[in-house]
Every structure is written in C-alpha cells, then in structure tokens.
Amino acid sequence: MTLPQILSVTVLAGMMALFVWGRLRYDIVAILALLAALAVGVVEPKDAFTGFSDDIVIIVGSALVMSGAVQRSGVIERLLGSLAKRVTRVRSQLLLLTASVGFASALVKNIGALAMLMPAAFSMAKRSDSSPSVFLMPMSFASLLGGLITLVGTSPNIIVSRVREDMTGEPFRMFDYAPVGLTLTVVGLIFLRFAYRVQALRQAPATMGQALDVASYVTEVRVGEGSSAIGVPLGELLERGEGDVAVAALLRAGLRTAPLPDMKLREGDVLILGGAPDVLERVIARDELELVGQDKHEGDDIGVIEAVVTIDSPLVGETAGDLHLRERTGVNLIAISRRGERLDRRLARITLAAGDLLLLQGPLKQMSERLADLGVLPLAERELRLGSPRRWLLPIAILAAAMAATATGLVPVAVAFFAAAGLVMATGALPAREAYDHIEWPILIMLGALIPVSDSLRTTGVTELIGTWLSHAAASLPPWGAVALILAAAMAVTPFLNNAATVLVMAPIAATFAGDLGYRPEAFLMATAVGAGCDFLTPIGHQCNTLVMGPGGYRFGDYARLGAPLSLLVLLVATPLILWVWPVR
C-alpha cells in the first residue's frame, strides 16, 4: 500500500471506530472524518465541500420535505382508519399495520410512516386486549423493508443510484428497486404475520394508567377561588384520595412549605401531587382544583397526550426540571416512563432520553405544532388532524407527478423532487417553517461531509485495492456466493454505522469487486442497498428501531430474537431474486 492509501484507510478506520463508539452524533463524526482527510492530504481543499453540491443532498432533502407534506395531509391515517375498525383479531391487525407502514414507507420516509401509524397500533392493541409490543417491532421492521421499494424510499437507494451512474452512465430509476424491494416486503410481511410470537412480548405501557406509578406521576395543582378544598386540612384531602395520593410539597405565597397533615389549605396554595392517574383525576375534579398553567388557555380544549421522545429531540439530555415547558411553550410535563420501567426518582431530576414516554398536557388545538417543536411523537389516540382536509390530495398529486416524471426519464430525480418540494411549500400544502423542520439537517451534513471522504478511497486507489482483495478471496465462489457475500457484509456493518455511511463506503468497493470478477455491477450495488436498509438486529442501527423501544417496552436483546431469522430470510430470498432481476452477465 502507498502512503496515501494508508492514510485514507486510517481515516476510514478512525471514522468507523467513532461510529461504533457511539458517543458522538453521526454528523459530528462525518465532519471530523472530513477534517482528518483534509489534514492528512487525501482530500484537497478545493474538493472539501463538493459533497454539499452533490445531487444526493438535494434529492434526500427534497424527499424529506415531500415526506413531511404527505405525512401532514393525513391521507395514510385516513385510509387505515377506515379499515381498522373492522379488524379485531391480533394477527389480522398485525398484518394490516405492517402492510400499511411497509407500503407507506415506499412513498414517505420510513420513520415518518412509522410515527404516523403508531397511534393506530395502540388503539388496536386496546381493542384486541393485547400488548402494543405485539405490533411495534414488526411495524418497525416492515417500515425498513418498505423503504427498499422505490428510489426515494431510503437514502441508501439514492446513493447506490449515483454510484451506478458514475460507473455506467445510467442511474437506477424510481421503480428499478421495486421487483426486489416489493418481493422482499411481501415475504417479510408474511414472515411477521406468522413469526411475531418469536419476539419477547413485553407488557408495554399502552395507557396512561398502565404506564406510571405513584412515584413517577407528579403534577401541580392550585387551590382556586371557590374550591371545596379551601379550609380543609391537608390530611383530610389525602384521606379523600383513599391513601393513593401523596403531597410532595406545598407552595404558599411562592414559598415552599412542609405539607403537614393539620395544615389548612388556602386559596392560591399550590400542591405538588403524586399518585395513580385515575385517582388524581378524581381528586382534582372533586375538589375543583386547577392544574397549574391551565388558566393560560382559558376557552381552549385542554387534554393530555402520551408521546415518545425521538432521537433528534431537543429534550434529549435535558432534565425535566431544566425544561420549564409550561413557561416556554404552555405545555405541562406531568409524567415520565422509560421502557416500561418504574422510575423512583423525582420528576425534576430525570434526564430525558430517546424512547422515553411523556405525558404532556396542554391545549389540543395547538398541541400538534408544540409536539413537533419538542421533537416528540404522539402515541395516544387523539383527534389531532395534521393537515387541512381540503388540501389532503394536493401533496399526493405533486408526489405522483414527480415520481412519474423521474420514472419516465422526463427529468432527473434531483430536479423533479426539488420542484415538488418547492410546489408543496408554494401552495401551502406544507408551510415553509414545517418544511424546514422536516429536513434532517444532520443527515445532509453527514452526506455532504462523507462524499469527499468516500471519494478519497477511489482517488487513492483503496477502493480498487480492497475490491481486488475481495475478488481474489471470492474467485472460487459462484455468482450467487459473491452477491451473498456483499449482501451479508452490508447487513453486518449497518447496525454499527449509519446506513447512508455504510453505502457511501461499500458501494464503490462492491462495484470494483464486481468488475474484477468480470460481472456487471448492478446486482452487487442492489445487494449493498438491501443490506444497508435491513437492520433488524439492534435498536440503535436505525431510528425506527429506536423509536419503538420505549413504547414497546423492549430490551436491547429483544431485537435479535425476531430480527435474526428475518435477516437470514432476507439473505436467502434476496440473493437469487437480485440475480434474477439483475443478471451479472
């Protein structure tokens, strides 16, 4: 190996080590990798930012905007809602949910499709008297499979298309992925329909009452004018709660006071109450107590929403006491639950993490926008419509036109989807502020930074070198063995790297590998995309798996129980399928 090749491999190895370490966000790792490549000279300064002008960044960003517009329209929820009420058996519900999220993921970013349909899973679980954990992990896996159907279903498909264009002059088009992706999705849905019992069925917190215990449910109430609690000793108030309500503190005239049993309540007193949700609701209603902050929304329909904290939420890493949600947003944080565990610490001292369940109280008319600002997704059944009914068809029509234009080769993908994103904003189908919120900037930063880093592997000859090594090792393998090798390698790497990073590194190597063996590159590029899109083994490899971990009450090892056989099935089915659709000669 030459010195530039050694330096390029060193940068790659350091980047992979940081990804596996997991302490730094993937976009930060990508930035550090680009800086390291610049420092050692394998990336020239004039090429450092060429990745940000690459079509990949435009396509991914535009596709995220279109995904947000379709999600906002509520069309997928409407279609599912019309069927859900007629389905009551667990297996039928499971098939309906996994099929809905799978096929929706071909049009909408898979985590967006999953987030939209998770409330339906909780509603169906309640209707069939089952745990939501029956549905949530299969839905996550189905969303990953569904993303394989179209070019814009997942970012690895977009990257692989660009690599093919660089090699052959022709990219993969919108529905070139469909024969493989659609077949794998259908096979996966059948597997999940019958094998869902393989997973560890946890008692997930399906309802507000089941999610929390006395220690973890804390709220603040005020003794208002006309309350029947005025003049009542605190001990008597507790007796009315049949011993199931505790007073953590009493604030009088802004000063914290010890809650003594013989202390008589006065108008304006603020109580910090803890207890079971149903008992607290009865006490608050019977004694005409006011939830603190409720008077700020006079005339509004106040309600409680159960929501899950997403990976990119600004709440992650913050303690509940530091949030001051009521003062900043008008939303009360009244409870926290984590992966079905009982939390015995005070609410204000809990550091929030991705996957935590929150109970948030506020005006329902404004709750949708405020939940989006907080980076949390609603889980409880609610009457929140994300879009205007009069415009629900508009983003669907724009998306269909963009997909048709790219499928027929009328315009390039980047142009079609950039135009579509501009149209949904210009027509008001997705307000500009929401459009920018839907763009996952860390993903775009990672892509822009890693494109020149991955290209340095080609310019220094590392891609050719690794491809040659692999081709020598696989020289005795038949074509199906070579394709299976690339597919298995991508599936093994993607749980530890971001799937887009996996493809940026592996796709050029796979193409070189194919060329050294005398094969066409399409089958090997398709195998790379499928392998990178199928992370069923851990909760950390893909956002969808992380999203369902808390609401489903899953543990780290639960994913492999259902995911390992599904991964093996994908390997066995995808290998001959890819070779049939994309012959190597």
Side-chain angles (χ1 to χ4, degrees):
M1 294 180 67
T2 64
L3 179 60
Q5 289 174 339
I6 293 173
L7 294 174
S8 185
V9 170
T10 301
V11 171
L12 176 64
M15 180 188 75
M16 294 183 67
L18 289 177
F19 272 124
V20 174
W21 186 43
R23 297 293 181 87
L24 298 177
R25 278 187 4 176
Y26 52 81
D27 53 331
I28 303 299
V29 173
I31 291 172
L32 292 176
L34 177 57
L35 292 175
L38 283 167
V40 299
V42 295
V43 172
E44 296 293 332
K46 64 183 178 63
D47 299 324
F49 306 114
T50 54
F52 292 98
S53 62
D54 196 285
D55 282 358
I56 292 175
V57 175
I58 301 299
I59 296 170
V60 172
S62 301
L64 290 172
V65 172
M66 289 307 303
S67 173
V70 174
Q71 183 178 343
R72 188 178 192 270
S73 74
V75 62
I76 297 174
E77 293 169 294
R78 287 183 176 93
L79 293 175
L80 178 62
S82 63
L83 298 173
K85 295 179 181 178
R86 307 171 191 171
V87 181
T88 56
R89 296 179 59 185
V90 171
R91 286 189 173 183
S92 299
Q93 290 175 330
L94 177 67
L95 183 59
L96 177 60
L97 287 167
T98 52
S100 298
V101 76
F103 293 121
S105 295
L107 305 176
V108 180
K109 183 173 172 58
N110 44 25
I111 192 171
L114 179 61
M116 282 190 295
L117 299 182
M118 282 175 66
F122 278 77
S123 177
M124 287 190 180
K126 184 177 181 180
R127 191 176 298 123
S128 61
D129 194 26
S130 57
S131 171
S133 66
V134 172
F135 304 127
L136 294 181
M137 188 183 294
M139 287 174 67
S140 176
F141 291 171
S143 72
L144 299 183
L145 290 169
L148 303 176
I149 297 175
T150 64
L151 172 67
V152 296
T154 182
S155 52
N157 290 358
I158 299 171
I159 299 170
V160 161
S161 176
R162 204 284 301 268
V163 173
R164 186 196 184 203
E165 183 177 21
D166 290 343
M167 293 197 63
T168 68
E170 184 179 358
F172 286 120
R173 300 196 182 278
M174 181 61 62
F175 298 108
D176 284 350
Y177 298 87
V180 174
L182 188 59
T183 303
L184 287 176
T185 300
V186 172
V187 170
L189 294 178
I190 295 172
F191 169 82
L192 294 170
R193 162 70 170 75
F194 292 100
Y196 72 95
R197 291 189 182 277
V198 173
Q199 66 177 319
L201 300 181
R202 303 296 180 187
Q203 187 56 45
T207 65
M208 189 170 74
Q210 293 171 332
L212 304 157
D213 59 8
V214 171
S216 63
Y217 189 178
V218 178
T219 190
E220 294 182 35
V221 296
R222 181 187 293 112
V223 180
E225 182 181 358
S227 171
S228 60
I230 296 176
V232 175
L234 190 55
E236 183 177 333
L237 182 73
L238 298 179
E239 290 176 4
R240 294 180 185 180
E242 300 176 355
D244 294 325
V245 175
V247 178
L250 186 151
L251 285 75
R252 177 169 290 172
L255 299 176
R256 192 180 185 93
T257 306
L260 302 176
D262 57 351
M263 180 180 294
K264 292 186 178 182
L265 295 174
R266 302 176 185 173
E267 181 182 342
D269 284 351
V270 174
L271 302 174
I272 301 178
L273 299 179
D278 54 346
V279 176
L280 280 177
E281 289 170 3
R282 289 200 302 268
V283 170
I284 292 170
R286 184 185 57 237
D287 291 299
E288 301 172 278
L289 302 173
E290 302 172 356
L291 282 166
V292 172
Q294 186 168 348
D295 55 350
K296 296 182 180 181
H297 313 293
E298 186 175 352
D300 286 340
D301 182 16
I302 304 299
V304 174
I305 296 292
E306 188 176 13
V308 60
V309 179
T310 63
I311 296 175
D312 299 321
S313 169
L315 305 183
V316 174
E318 298 285 344
T319 63
D322 292 337
L323 294 176
H324 303 296
L325 289 181
R326 178 162 40 83
E327 291 80 1
R328 294 193 295 110
T329 67
V331 173
N332 291 326
L333 173 62
I334 59 177
I336 303 173
S337 179
R338 178 168 297 158
R339 298 180 190 174
E341 299 175 4
R342 292 177 178 269
L343 299 172
D344 55 7
R345 286 167 290 167
R346 292 186 59 185
L347 192 68
R349 297 179 181 175
I350 298 173
T351 301
L352 297 176
D356 283 353
L357 296 180
L358 309 180
L359 288 186
L360 299 170
Q361 185 230 22
L364 290 178
K365 291 181 180 179
Q366 303 171 29
M367 190 67 84
S368 177
E369 179 180 350
R370 295 181 183 182
L371 293 183
D373 291 339
L374 295 174
V376 299
L377 297 169
L379 297 179
E381 189 72 11
R382 78 281 188 200
E383 292 297 326
L384 288 180
R385 285 301 174 191
L386 299 178
S388 169
R390 294 173 295 177
R391 293 187 173 181
W392 69 275
L393 279 177
L394 185 58
I396 303 299
I398 294 174
L399 176 62
M403 296 180 75
T406 58
T408 58
L410 188 62
V411 293
V413 178
V415 174
F417 273 79
F418 184 78
L423 283 175
V424 295
M425 289 191 287
T427 58
L430 183 68
R433 178 178 176 275
E434 291 187 33
Y436 289 118
D437 288 341
H438 277 285
I439 296 176
E440 295 184 26
W441 299 105
I443 288 285
L444 300 188
I445 294 297
M446 184 197 71
L447 289 173
L450 285 190
I451 285 172
V453 173
S454 64
D455 194 52
S456 72
L457 299 178
R458 179 187 60 81
T459 56
T460 59
V462 172
T463 297
E464 184 178 353
L465 186 64
I466 295 176
T468 302
W469 287 349
L470 286 175
S471 64
H472 287 321
S476 60
L477 292 177
W480 65 264
V483 170
L485 176 64
I486 294 297
L487 178 57
M491 294 178 75
V493 171
T494 197
F496 306 101
L497 299 183
N498 179 277
N499 55 8
T502 298
V503 177
L504 281 171
V505 173
M506 283 201 59
I509 293 174
T512 302
F513 172 65
D516 288 343
L517 291 174
Y519 298 142
R520 291 185 57 82
E522 287 83 3
F524 297 87
L525 293 175
M526 192 64 65
T528 304
V530 170
C534 294
D535 174 22
F536 308 125
L537 300 179
T538 71
I540 59 174
H542 197 280
Q543 290 177 320
C544 289
N545 292 347
T546 306
L547 180 62
V548 300
M549 190 174 187
Y554 302 121
R555 299 170 186 166
F556 193 98
D558 291 345
Y559 287 80
R561 292 184 58 172
L562 184 64
L566 180 57
S567 298
L568 180 61
L569 179 65
V570 168
L571 183 64
L572 294 176
V573 174
T575 300
L577 182 61
I578 291 172
L579 286 169
W580 179 64
V581 177
W582 301 98
V584 295
R585 296 188 188 278

